Every structure is written in C-alpha cells, then in structure tokens.
C-alpha cells in the first residue's frame, strides 16, 4: 500500500492575532509546517500533499524546498471538507496519513506505529489520555473497548465530556474507504462544519476496527493555537535539544538558557555558557568554549577555540585554538586560520586571516587577505568601499600595522612591512621597510585656550 501523507494547514489561526499565517510561525527557528513535513518525509518517500487556505502563497514560498503538492481549500468548511479537496489526487489503494500543520512535534516513531495500525485494519487513529481534555474531540468506546466514534466537545453531553481519551486528529486510513465516507459527511452539528472525525463512527458501523495508537511523548500531539502554546512548545523543544547535546558530551551551563534554532554538531567537552543562540548549521570542535550571550549562525568553529562573551558570528570559519572576542563580530566569508586572535569591537567580513595573526582592538577588516604572523594595531580600518565598488586589501606575512591606520583599497602591504601609526595608506607598501604618512607635528607658542567671558 503506497503511503500518501496529507497535511491539513488551511486554518486561519485567528487566536495567534497575526498577519502571518499560523503555520509559518516559527518553532526552534523553523516554520511549524516545516516540522510536520520533516517528520513525514522521514517515513521514507511518501507522496506529500498539503491543503492550504489562508495566506497560501506565502506558505508555499516559505516551504518551497519541500517536495509537496499544494491543494487550495478556498473556504474552510471543516476538516472533512479539507480532506475532500485532496481526495481526487489520491488513488483508492493508497494509505492516507492525515497530519495537522499546527501540531509540530509529532515524531516519526509514533507515525510509523500509526501507519502500521492503518495497514493492519484499514484505520489507525492516534489518541492520548489527557488530565485536562478541554477543547478536544472525545473518543467513544463500547463495552468491549472498541472505538465507536468521536464526539466534538461542542456537541458532547456531560458524560462524554468526562472522557479523558481524546482525538489528536492524526489518522491513517485506506483511501478507498475514506472516499466513500467523506462523501456521506453532513454538517448538522454545533459548528456547522464537515467533521473528518465523523468517519470514525462510519468505520465502526461497517465493522472496520479503528485501531488506536498512543504517542511516545504527549508533547508530540500538542497543537499551537495561540502564542502561549507556541512558547510552551518552544521551551519543551529546546529542553529536548539541550538534553540531547548534554548526552553527547556538551556542557551547557544552564540548559534553560540555551537556544538551538537549527542544527549543532558539537565535539566532546564543548562548553556553552548562558544565553547563547545557535542558528542554521553550526559545527563546534572538541574542547571549544562559547562565552555568554553569543549568537552563532552557519559557522564552523575548530577545536580548542575560545569565543568570549557577546560575540556575533555568522557565515565564518574559525581555526583551531583561536580566540575571539569579547564583543567581536565575524560576518559571512570570514575564514580564520588556527591560533588567530580577534579582539573586542573588531568586525571582520569576507576576509581570510592566516595562522597566528592578531587583530585585537577596535578594527574593521573587510575584503582583506591577511597572511600569517601579522599584527594589526588598534583602530585599523580597511577602506574597502569607494561608494560604488568593493576593493581588496592584501597584508602579507609578518607585517605590522600601526594603530589607527587606514588602508585604502585596493592596496597591498608587503611581507614583513611595518606601517607607522596613523598612516593613511593609498599606495602599496614594500616588503620589510617602514612606511608611514604623517602630517608634521607642531606646537603653537603663546596659544591660549578660549575662556567664557565673565559678566
Ligand atoms: C480537531 C478535531 C478534534 C481534535 C482536534 C485535535 C475535527 C472535527 N475535530 O478539532 O477531534 O481533538 O482537532 O487538535 O476534526 N483545517 C483545514 N481546513 C478546515 C478546517 C481545519 O485545513 O476547513 C486544518 C487546520 O488548519 C488544522 C486542522 O485542520 O491544522 C485542525 O483544525 P481545527 O479547526 O484546529 O480543529 P479542532 O477544532 O481543533
Ligand atoms: Ca486545533
């Protein structure tokens, strides 16, 4: 039986009070709907269909990399109506796995068991027991424990409301059966909607066993209806990621104050201080330490690197044993060899810096290639932009750049050259010698500082 995964994502998300479609709100850095798609795709290679409505174009654009077919549900007339829109694209012989775009933490292992139940009887249903079942559809069972139907809370009587087993909405049903039942749905209920859940009673009446499956973790089936629930899921998700990292040998000084919004591959004995945010794809080598308050995005950090407090690192590579910060900013295209030092209030962009070179204080290094063993003095600026184009600066091995130097690109500093403090370098500086530009110093005899007149 071929598997088709159908994700319902047409709901308005009114309670988010947002101009962004609900399924595009982010959890751990990714749109809610992307989490669901990833879980589905891990099942193997299922056909993926997504029913969209509100904000459809934006949703499709945001998930352009997901290999799905998109189906519009122009009017949201209920979950049954949403499924009906997709049925023409699904052959009778398929097994249809129905997921919700706003229930992001669903796990692949749980989905596998749900699919197995669907294959076994034609109808698998994911349910869970909740202490507080308010708002959910309740599972009805007969005296033998067989599922006989689902009643929505708004349609339930008092006895039914006391039932704690609820419908998560996730099911795996044979397409041919689904088609037959969906065609018979009515909307004569409290919400005037076509309820997908009504197919459960139809299955039971035909003697088809609705086989229930429980999630591994109750958070897997929690939906996002408002920003409070979104924040609660974010915390849960972050806690799980932090625990996984700690199990791999990473020290998190406070797992509650660490946020991973992407993927982190970290070696043993990496130590991460509080309030660090990791985004995109990041690798950190063994024994490296990240100070408090750093933001690291799409970066490769070698072994034994020390990143001191409050650095922002994006699109950069940092070689073994380097020391960065505090308060440094590494921008995309930065590649630092081993043993480099980048100090406080230094910005580096689209530049390579060789083994053991140092830029320790208050400098801007942009579009520059620096060799090995170079020392760049405080307040050095590479003037890489002439207002129209960017130009490169080259600083060869063992050069020494005096403080407060401006290097007006394109320009080259030769091997072993020394540039005097305060130089504005507009032409290449030769190897080994001192080059400087400096206005002559003078003192003005008899000069008096102006004073305020007394009245
Ligand atoms: C639904 C279930 C309820 C279950 C609960 C679990 C029905 C009738 N009820 O209720 O038994 O306990 O989920 O969270 O199915 N959607 C569409 N098009 C529509 C309506 C909804 O695509 O016309 C999508 C929504 O975007 C959402 C999902 O279907 O992803 C569920 O819809 P929602 O309105 O939240 O259903 P509930 O009332 O919560
Ligand atoms: Ca809901």
């Amino acid at each position: 039986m071929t598997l088709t995964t159908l994700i319902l994502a047409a709901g308005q998300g009114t309670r988010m009070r947002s101009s962004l479609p609900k399924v595009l709100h982010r959890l751990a850095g990714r749109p809610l709907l992307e989490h669901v798609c990833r879980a589905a795709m891990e099942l193997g290679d299922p056909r993926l269909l997504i029913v969209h409505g509100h904000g459809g174009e934006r949703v499709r654009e945001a998930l352009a990399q997901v290999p799905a077919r998109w189906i519009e549900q122009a009017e949201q007339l209920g979950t049954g109506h949403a499924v009906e829109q997709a049925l023409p694209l699904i052959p009778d012989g398929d097994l249809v796995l129905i997921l919700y775009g706003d229930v992001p933490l669903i796990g692949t292992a749980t989905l596998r068991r749900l699919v197995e139940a669907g294959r076994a009887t034609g109808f698998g249903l994911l349910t869970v027991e909740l202490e507080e079942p308010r708002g959910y559809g309740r599972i009805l069972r007969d005296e033998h424990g067989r599922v006989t139907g689902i009643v929505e809370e708004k349609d339930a009587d008092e006895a039914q409301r006391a039932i704690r087993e609820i419908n998560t909405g996730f099911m795996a049903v044979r397409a041919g059966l689904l088609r037959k039942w969906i065609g018979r749905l009515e909307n004569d209920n409290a919400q005037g909607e076509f309820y997908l859940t009504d197919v459960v009673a139809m299955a039971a009446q035909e003697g088809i066993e609705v086989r229930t499956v429980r999630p591994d973790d109750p958070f897997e089936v929690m939906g996002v209806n408002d920003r409070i629930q979104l924040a609660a899921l974010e915390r849960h998700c972050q806690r799980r990621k932090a625990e996984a990292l700690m199990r791999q040998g990473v020290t998190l000084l406070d797992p509650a104050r660490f946020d991973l919004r992407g993927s982190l591959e970290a070696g043993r004995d990496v130590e991460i201080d509080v309030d660090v945010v990791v985004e995109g794809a990041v690798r950190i080598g063994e024994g490296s330490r990240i100070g408090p308050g750093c933001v690291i995005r799409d970066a490769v950090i070698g072994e034994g690197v020390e990143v001191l407090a409050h650095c922002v690192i994006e699109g950069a590579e940092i070689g073994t044993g380097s020391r960065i910060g505090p308060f440094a900013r590494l921008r995309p295209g930065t590649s630092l060899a081993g043993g480099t030092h980048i100090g406080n209030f230094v910005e580096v962009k689209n530049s390579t810096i060789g083994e053991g070179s140092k830029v320790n204080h208050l400098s801007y290094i942009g579009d520059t290639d620096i060799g090995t063993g170079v020392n760049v003095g405080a307040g050095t600026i590479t003037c890489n932009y002439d207002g129209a184009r960017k130009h490169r600066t080259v600083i060869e091995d063992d050069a020494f750049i005096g403080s407060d130097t401006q290097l007006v690109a394109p320009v080259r500093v030769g091997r072993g050259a020394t540039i005097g403090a305060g130089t504005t370098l507009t032409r290449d500086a030769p190897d080994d010698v001192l080059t400087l530009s400096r206005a002559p110093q003078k003192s003005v005899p008899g000069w008096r500082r102006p004073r305020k007149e007394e009245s």
Side-chain angles (χ1 to χ4, degrees):
M1 234 186 289
T2 309
L3 185 64
T4 289
T5 301
L6 176 58
I7 303 176
L8 306 188
Q12 299 273 348
T14 326
R15 278 174 285 167
M16 296 298 283
R17 297 188 181 279
S18 175
S19 56
L20 189 69
K22 175 162 78 176
V23 292
L24 292 189
H25 280 260
R26 284 172 187 271
L27 178 78
R30 294 195 177 110
L32 295 173
L33 182 54
E34 192 183 322
H35 286 269
V36 183
C37 292
R38 280 172 180 254
M41 288 186 303
E42 274 175 39
L43 285 175
D45 191 18
R47 252 199 295 259
L48 192 58
L49 306 177
I50 304 176
V51 178
H52 70 84
H54 181 65
E57 280 314 306
R58 281 173 84 181
V59 177
R60 286 166 75 147
E61 264 166 43
L63 286 133
Q65 80 288 6
V66 172
R69 287 192 62 181
W70 296 83
I71 300 140
E72 190 181 341
Q73 184 194 19
E75 254 189 302
Q76 280 83 59
L77 304 179
T79 47
H81 179 256
V83 171
E84 191 177 20
Q85 309 311 300
L87 280 177
L89 296 173
I90 308 174
D92 271 345
D94 281 17
L95 185 70
V96 189
L97 175 64
I98 298 173
L99 309 179
Y100 288 177
D102 57 358
V103 183
L105 294 183
I106 186 68
T108 309
T110 298
L111 290 183
R112 277 215 181 88
R113 286 189 289 110
L114 182 59
V115 166
E116 269 167 38
R119 286 193 202 285
T121 70
F123 204 133
L125 182 67
L126 190 65
T127 73
V128 69
E129 291 229 5
L130 295 182
E131 286 299 320
E132 181 46 84
R134 190 145 36 98
Y136 291 97
R138 308 297 204 281
I139 306 295
L140 307 177
R141 292 182 184 264
D142 67 14
E143 63 279 16
H144 307 291
R146 285 183 297 234
V147 175
T148 56
I150 295 178
V151 59
E152 290 304 298
E153 180 168 274
K154 287 182 179 142
D155 302 289
D157 60 34
E158 210 167 317
Q160 290 168 330
R161 281 181 198 213
I163 297 170
R164 299 220 323 257
E165 186 187 6
I166 63 98
N167 172 35
T168 66
F170 290 21
M171 54 181 77
V173 189
R174 217 177 289 151
L177 296 172
L178 200 54
R179 193 183 321 278
K180 181 172 65 176
W181 299 328
I182 290 277
R184 293 193 209 142
L185 290 181
E186 312 252 11
N187 64 350
D188 52 351
N189 49 50
Q191 301 183 79
E193 288 183 2
F194 295 94
Y195 290 166
L196 173 62
T197 44
D198 286 349
V199 303
V200 172
M202 296 179 191
Q205 272 152 27
E206 289 187 22
I208 288 170
E209 181 197 346
V210 176
R211 187 170 288 184
T212 57
V213 166
R214 292 287 158 100
D216 291 334
D217 172 356
F219 274 93
E220 287 185 38
V221 296
M222 290 182 58
V224 172
N225 294 307
D226 59 32
R227 294 180 202 244
I228 296 166
Q229 288 171 332
L230 180 60
L233 283 197
E234 178 76 31
R235 276 299 106 218
H236 177 76
C237 192
Q238 291 300 343
R239 158 72 51 176
R240 277 201 323 204
K241 286 167 184 276
E243 284 170 1
L245 285 169
M246 291 189 286
R247 270 185 225 108
Q248 287 162 29
V250 174
T251 296
L252 296 175
L253 272 86
D254 182 355
R257 283 186 288 166
F258 167 72
D259 285 273
L260 176 53
R261 301 174 191 152
S263 67
L264 172 59
E265 227 180 274
R268 295 160 79 95
D269 297 314
V270 163
E271 188 180 295
I272 300 179
D273 213 323
V274 300
D275 295 334
V276 170
V277 177
V278 173
E279 300 181 326
V282 171
R283 277 188 356 234
I284 304 178
E286 187 164 331
S288 289
R289 286 163 47 172
I290 311 296
C294 291
V295 178
I296 304 175
R297 178 183 307 133
D298 295 321
V300 179
I301 298 176
E303 296 182 2
V305 170
E306 190 147 8
V307 179
L308 302 171
H310 300 291
C311 291
V312 177
I313 296 173
E314 179 182 3
E317 269 177 56
I318 303 173
T320 305
S322 293
R323 198 184 70 210
I324 314 297
F327 300 103
R329 178 170 184 210
L330 304 183
R331 292 170 52 200
T334 295
S335 175
L336 309 179
T340 54
H341 288 185
I342 303 296
N344 36 227
F345 307 106
V346 172
E347 173 179 350
V348 184
K349 182 214 84 172
N350 193 28
S351 295
T352 60
I353 298 185
E355 192 94 22
S357 290
K358 298 175 180 158
V359 188
N360 271 329
H361 323 270
L362 298 151
S363 290
Y364 171 62
I365 304 296
D367 303 304
T368 299
D369 297 300
I370 296 181
T372 63
V374 169
N375 195 316
V376 175
T380 296
I381 307 289
T382 56
C383 310
N384 58 329
Y385 185 51
D386 61 13
R389 279 167 304 159
K390 301 275 174 68
H391 302 281
R392 286 199 86 80
T393 298
V394 176
I395 303 173
E396 295 186 2
D397 298 350
D398 302 315
F400 181 99
I401 312 293
S403 297
D404 191 29
T405 291
Q406 301 101 57
L407 300 151
V408 182
V411 76
R412 169 180 297 263
V413 175
R415 176 184 289 261
T418 299
I419 307 299
T423 293
T424 301
L425 194 74
T426 52
R427 282 171 287 133
D428 292 357
D431 295 358
D432 298 319
V433 299
L434 171 68
T435 299
L436 77 170
S437 74
R438 189 167 289 170
Q441 177 172 325
K442 62 182 175 191
S443 301
V444 181
W447 181 85
R448 288 278 170 270
R449 204 183 289 163
R451 286 170 196 282
K452 279 188 186 159
E453 276 168 37
E454 303 202 356
S455 52

